Amino acid sequence: MGRRIESEAVATEFLLPDIGDGLTEAEVVRWLVDEGAQVGRDDPLVEVETDKAVVVIPSPVEGTVLRHGAPQGETMAVGAVLAVIGSPEETPTPASGSSASRDGSAQQETAATKEPRSRATTAVQALPVVRRLARQHRVDLRNVRGSGPGGRITRQDVLAAAGAAGPVADPPPETASTTQGVRRRPLSRLQKTIAANMSRAWSEIPHVTTFDQVEATGLMAARRSLSESHGADVPFDALVIGATIPALRCFPEFNATLEGDYLLVHSGYHIGVAINAPDGLLVGVLRGAGEMSVGQIAEATRRLAEGGKSRTLGLEELTGQTFTVTNIGALGGGFGTPIIPPGNTAVLAVGRVADAPVAEDGRVVVRPVMPLSLSFDHRVIDGALSRRFMDVVIANLCDPTLFLP
């Protein structure tokens, strides 16, 4: 979003846009174009961190960057002036939060006030999550050489520096004592977003959870075979997604969004995959999963997991899921009661595969068993429909040849 402003000439005042999912603020991570430098239309202008991801915002116009709306490390509200872009001879009216002086005269900003800010913001290149890690390990980032692109300091650089410095005392917690034996610890931006989404989902959606288990002998054999043919481990998530898509095709109510008095049935199958990120739970989105092979799904889920843990996923990879799968078995879990993400009508949790006694031909034998937990929105899906959906999923997981080519 941008608007034209009146001055000696006309410049473009570029406002921080709403970059997805109703976000209200973002932190400026790194300016990619300096003040006074030229930028082309749609060229990368600035890197910002939202509640969910680090995003590069392009310039809406071609011109000279006359002013940054905020220094690196500062949090800005959506709708605030992000940058002013025009011609070098233009002198636009300073906006709130800009790097120009606040008395209305940009020329009054002297080198003495500008240079220290430049040194502070460009000397150290590190994402906010890396800066937090450095504070926890008492690592001075000014003494760390970055191995990332453009000299950016990575998590590995910080951990290596912390190891070289040897063990330290307990890291300074970002907390404040309130009463004896109690500490008040602020939630991170991501944790606050997770809390808000979970509260919204739990308060708005009438949850019902049904439990099943799958005899997983055939599933494990298919996984071994696929892993050998692809030369890399195929995660259970990929097979579960592959087994679930035919059920979503049969029962479109599970691939839908309830909006007022209407059910929006999605034609595409964009599967949310829960990711255990360092700061909390993220849901990466596997877009167009219905058109992928299981091998492609496996590769995409691995990439989503890596991107989620490093906070490098784009917004298109973090929003818009039509059905969600969460592998609580990766952390040793069995059955659970997963919370349905806002905008979905159901979520499927898969537990850890473990040997268990099962009845087979009138006798008890030990077989690998996978727990399944399906939570669904009872406003859209009733018990009978959930049973038919799970019957298809279970049949596919028991006999993967039903969905594998």
Side-chain angles (χ1 to χ4, degrees), residues 28-51:
V28 177
V29 173
R30 181 167 62 113
W31 283 102
L32 304 176
V33 181
D34 293 334
E35 289 180 337
Q38 286 290 115
V39 66
R41 181 183 177 88
D42 295 328
D43 283 353
L45 175 65
V46 62
E47 196 174 66
V48 301
E49 182 180 24
T50 70
D51 295 338

Side-chain angles (χ1 to χ4, degrees), residues 232-317:
D233 285 341
V234 172
F236 276 112
D237 305 46
L239 288 166
V240 172
I241 292 170
T244 302
I245 288 174
L248 295 175
R249 296 188 195 277
C250 292
F251 305 103
E253 295 86 351
F254 289 81
N255 196 60
T257 300
L258 182 61
E259 189 175 274
D261 294 332
Y262 295 89
L263 186 66
L264 309 182
V265 179
H266 303 288
S267 58
Y269 301 94
H270 310 310
I271 309 301
V273 181
I275 301 168
N276 183 31
D279 286 347
L281 182 68
L282 287 174
V283 176
V285 181
L286 185 60
R287 293 193 172 275
E291 309 303 318
M292 296 183 180
S293 68
V294 170
Q296 291 171 324
I297 292 174
E299 182 179 349
T301 53
R302 282 194 295 268
R303 181 182 54 77
L304 285 174
E306 293 169 359
K309 291 174 182 177
S310 62
R311 298 291 301 278
T312 57
L313 295 179
L315 285 177
E316 71 282 357
E317 299 171 300

